[in-house]
Amino acid sequence: SRWAFFYFAFFLVLSLFVLFNVLLAAMYSAYKSTVKEQYRVRVERFAMSLNLIYDSLRLSSECSGISGSVWREVFCAYCHDDSQWNRDRASILFHFASNGSALERENWHRLASLLVNPDVTIQWHATFTPSRRMRLAEEVLCYVVDALVLADLAVTALRTRALLQEHGDAWHNP
């Protein structure tokens, strides 16, 4: 009868609407957890990178943290300009962020986070030529980042292989 058809059509449309909403909610939840995990990993890697840089800069200092001269060299290299104005800015930042003799790890994290913040603009100049030690540190950091990316790719490949071995038959024979 006609009413049975309308009832069935309404029931079918309503059921599909509910089903698609449940599916969308599940997909959003999975996406949200993936983004949270990616953000957590990014924050961990950023902290690890800052710790590696801090340790390498601390080794070039004779004190317990990063010395003022090393910080001035890093800041001037970051600004690509070894002018007196940038050396003065570096000294002022060092004075406010350090205990007077050395830049400790927590304050290094704050300053480095400030430098990589996209909302903070520092004028770049093309006249700066970095020292040999700074170029070597940059090359070493590039190799460290490349090695970490390669290790991440290897872990992803191993996880994919394990997943395929565990669930491969279910995908080939549904």
Side-chain angles (χ1 to χ4, degrees):
S1 88
R2 181 179 290 179
W3 291 111
F5 172 74
F6 285 132
Y7 175 76
F8 178 73
F10 177 74
F11 177 77
L12 185 64
V13 169
L14 187 64
S15 297
L16 286 175
F17 178 74
V18 170
L19 177 69
F20 285 140
N21 278 338
V22 169
L23 181 64
L24 183 63
M27 287 174 46
Y28 177 74
S29 176
Y31 174 74
K32 188 170 81 171
S33 64
T34 302
V35 168
K36 281 183 181 179
E37 178 64 20
Q38 288 174 348
Y39 179 75
R40 185 191 61 78
V41 168
R42 186 171 25 144
V43 167
E44 284 178 2
R45 287 183 181 167
F46 181 69
M48 182 180 67
S49 299
L50 289 182
N51 286 332
L52 285 171
I53 295 169
Y54 176 82
D55 291 337
S56 65
L57 292 174
R58 189 176 50 87
L59 290 177
S60 63
S61 297
E62 289 78 28
C63 54
S64 64
I66 298 174
S67 67
S69 61
V70 171
W71 166 249
R72 276 188 294 279
E73 188 175 342
V74 167
F75 186 79
C76 290
Y78 178 79
C79 294
H80 296 292
D81 184 17
D82 195 18
S83 65
Q84 184 62 39
W85 189 68
N86 280 333
R87 286 193 297 273
D88 292 342
R89 284 197 308 173
S91 297
I92 290 169
L93 282 172
F94 183 79
H95 174 72
F96 284 117
S98 70
N99 58 8
S101 63
L103 190 61
E104 298 300 324
R105 188 176 303 268
E106 296 81 23
N107 294 333
W108 160 253
H109 278 264
R110 287 189 193 110
L111 279 176
S113 298
L114 179 70
L115 290 178
V116 299
N117 187 346
D119 295 331
V120 176
T121 304
I122 295 178
Q123 184 67 36
W124 295 85
H125 300 284
T127 59
F128 175 70
T129 304
S131 69
R132 183 174 185 271
R133 182 173 41 164
M134 291 303 293
R135 285 185 301 223
L136 180 64
E138 182 181 3
E139 288 179 26
V140 168
L141 287 175
C142 286
Y143 287 126
V144 167
V145 168
D146 289 344
L148 288 173
V149 167
L150 185 61
D152 190 36
L153 287 173
V155 167
T156 302
L158 290 174
R159 286 182 178 174
T160 304
R161 182 176 179 200
L163 181 68
L164 287 175
Q165 286 176 348
E166 184 178 335
H167 299 291
D169 293 335
W171 288 338
H172 291 295
N173 303 323

